Amino acid sequence: MSPSLPLVVHITGARPNFPKAAPVLAALERYSVQQLLVHTGQHYDERMSEVFFRQLGLPEPDVNLGVGSGTHGAQTAATMVGLEELFTGRRPDLVVVYGDVNSTVAAALVASKMGIPVAHVEAGLRSFDRTMPEEINRVLTDRISDLLLVTSVDAAAHLGREGADPDTIHFVGNPMIDTLLRHLQTLDPEGVATQVGVDTSAPYVVATLHRPGNVDDPADVAELVRSVHAVADQVRIVIPLHPRGRQRLADAGFLDHENLLVVDPLGYVEFLSLVKGSAAVVTDSGGVQEETTVMGVPCLTLRPNTERPVTITHGTNQLVTRQTLPGAVRTVLAAGRRSSWPVPPLWDGQAGPRIADVLARHVGAG
């Protein structure tokens, strides 16, 4: 690395960050900058991080802080300590953070306190639900970032209402969709379904469930079990089960339905292959709402709100409750997959180059 070139440091920490960062790193290679990729280690399991680096063509991280799991406070604090030491030894010209995980807000806080400019990719998303830790991370990160890179028009509007300087807001599109479109033609629904034991002669539904609002409270878990089992009465469900809450779900009898197939977390390509071949997806995740929107897969989001409403107005997503989920699945199965559907503006596979252009101009790179 040449000390004369501006240094851009990218912070990744958890599975959702990696497909967002990959196209930005690749596009920024065309500019006269140095890049440093930091993995905080917030997700440290092989299936939760390292496999993503391989499949997405990300370079090996230059720094891995090895933070690991823990409470929100412990995880955020450990990340801050590690990044402060890193930034002190090698001061960046710009720190780029992605999404809304604990590593995102930790990096933004450290950089901001040290007077280092911060760029937030996926700025402005709002669920307006402060019980979600991610919402706190989003709001705080946006307030202290110097560049706000937004994926949708509603996100830019939120930032405007919150008083953000219009000159800091850049509508660039969704870099995670760049990654999806790059891999779309190589996905193998039949092969992956066979690999995990799914009979593709009949429709199947993919489910991802891990939010505290669904799996933490025993009463919520009991209601979730009844709801998902009512879906499994209609159709085979495949669920790559997140470590969070797995034992609690097992104790509540979630895994006892014969039409419910639980598999370990999958790699990026394997998971999207399974989604591509499905009749529908049931999720409480954020990113899956976006991926299904582009692939035309009906998505039933088991949450009272979403920070990605554009996936409802310009996609295949709808919000459901535990009470309405079985009926919603029945309706989706009867209707089948649409032959065409709207896709949000600038979700066109070129967000990475647009983001790289904004970052390069900010650090004065040609």
Side-chain angles (χ1 to χ4, degrees):
M1 290 187 178
S2 169
S4 61
L5 296 178
L7 176 61
V8 178
V9 175
H10 304 263
I11 307 297
T12 61
R15 183 170 178 149
N17 293 163
F18 309 138
K20 298 167 190 173
V24 179
L25 276 106
L28 205 51
E29 286 289 335
R30 298 197 296 267
Y31 296 87
S32 299
V33 299
Q34 305 171 81
Q35 299 191 77
L36 194 73
L37 178 58
V38 177
H39 183 10
T40 68
Q42 181 176 325
H43 276 173
Y44 55 92
D45 181 84
E46 160 69 11
R47 286 192 177 92
M48 300 299 279
S49 63
E50 280 82 359
V51 68
F52 266 47
F53 278 80
R54 290 200 306 272
Q55 292 185 345
L56 301 183
L58 280 164
E60 280 295 312
D62 299 287
V63 178
N64 192 323
L65 298 181
V67 168
S69 61
T71 65
H72 286 285
Q75 204 172 61
T76 304
T79 303
M80 291 180 69
V81 169
L83 289 177
E84 185 176 56
E85 182 178 346
L86 176 66
F87 296 166
T88 299
R90 187 107 190 278
R91 187 178 178 86
D93 294 281
L94 181 65
V95 170
V96 186
V97 298
Y98 298 85
D100 54 22
V101 299
N102 289 335
S103 297
T104 306
V105 70
L109 282 166
V110 171
S112 181
K113 284 175 176 286
M114 296 179 71
I116 300 167
V118 177
H120 184 200
V121 175
E122 209 179 63
L125 298 184
R126 297 289 183 270
S127 68
F128 302 101
D129 181 357
R130 293 293 179 91
T131 67
M132 294 177 65
E134 296 90 347
E135 181 75 355
I136 305 299
N137 292 345
R138 287 189 284 263
V139 171
L140 291 177
T141 301
D142 286 341
R143 291 301 293 268
I144 56 177
S145 292
D146 302 271
L147 294 174
L148 299 165
L149 303 155
V150 303
T151 60
S152 59
V153 173
D154 61 282
H158 296 327
L159 293 168
R161 283 192 294 270
E162 292 170 7
D165 182 347
D167 290 340
T168 66
I169 302 171
H170 302 269
F171 179 28
V172 292
N174 192 334
M176 188 164 73
I177 301 307
D178 291 23
T179 300
L180 171 60
L181 293 177
R182 178 172 160 243
H183 288 85
L184 195 56
Q185 298 308 313
T186 65
L187 300 181
D188 181 14
E190 286 282 341
V192 172
T194 300
Q195 177 186 324
V196 300
V198 179
D199 178 5
T200 58
S201 64
Y204 66 89
V205 167
V206 174
T208 68
L209 300 166
H210 69 277
R211 294 279 178 186
N214 282 322
V215 302
D216 275 12
D217 182 83
D220 290 334
V221 172
E223 192 174 52
L224 179 68
V225 170
R226 289 192 294 271
S227 178
V228 173
H229 283 189
V231 174
D233 288 339
Q234 308 171 50
V235 64
R236 182 75 154 161
I237 303 175
V238 186
I239 177 166
L241 197 53
H242 195 285
R244 177 182 173 80
R246 181 168 187 155
Q247 188 59 51
R248 186 176 290 116
L249 288 173
D251 292 344
F254 182 83
L255 312 183
D256 296 342
H257 198 291
E258 64 181 4
N259 224 19
L260 188 67
L261 174 63
V262 175
V263 300
D264 288 334
L266 298 169
Y268 176 81
V269 170
E270 290 79 11
F271 176 71
L272 288 182
S273 293
L274 208 57
V275 168
K276 186 179 181 183
S278 70
V281 170
V282 176
T283 189
D284 55 14
S285 168
V288 176
Q289 299 170 46
E290 298 178 332
E291 291 159 337
T292 50
T293 277
V294 170
M295 289 193 286
V297 177
C299 182
L300 303 170
T301 298
L302 192 56
R303 284 171 43 187
N305 49 57
T306 177
E307 64 285 348
R308 294 164 167 87
V310 72
T311 62
I312 296 174
T313 59
H314 291 73
T316 59
N317 188 28
Q318 60 176 298
L319 297 179
V320 295
T321 66
R322 290 185 286 270
Q323 293 77 19
T324 63
L325 175 62
V329 170
R330 188 174 298 109
T331 300
V332 163
L333 292 175
R337 297 266 289 264
R338 293 187 230 169
S339 59
S340 64
W341 58 93
V343 173
L346 298 191
W347 289 25
D348 57 2
Q350 296 301 313
R354 285 189 285 265
I355 293 169
D357 182 62
V358 173
L359 303 182
R361 281 189 280 115
H362 188 81
V363 297

